[in-house]
Amino acid sequence: MDSASHFVVGVGLAGLAQLDPVVHSNPALSTVVIIGTIIGSQAPDFDTITRLKKQ
């Protein structure tokens, strides 16, 4: 998958996490979950950065 697809999956997972009452009721936790899922969904593409540095 490309980076855009990974981003969409991360946003989708963050949206699903909002269904949990604990996450939905705590704004700080909600923000952390959104940021964590989006960064985590980009993790498979982290090797791109190292490939670009080696060139």
Side-chain angles (χ1 to χ4, degrees), residues 9-36:
V9 169
V11 171
L13 289 173
L16 282 173
Q18 297 303 316
L19 295 175
D20 186 353
V22 174
V23 175
H24 184 69
S25 65
N26 187 338
L29 181 60
S30 179
T31 302
V32 169
V33 167
I34 291 169
I35 292 170

Side-chain angles (χ1 to χ4, degrees), residues 1-14 37-45:
M1 282 195 276
D2 61 350
S3 295
S5 298
H6 286 174
F7 180 78
V8 170
V9 169
V11 171
L13 289 173
T37 55
I38 292 174
I39 290 173
S41 69
Q42 296 298 317
D45 293 330

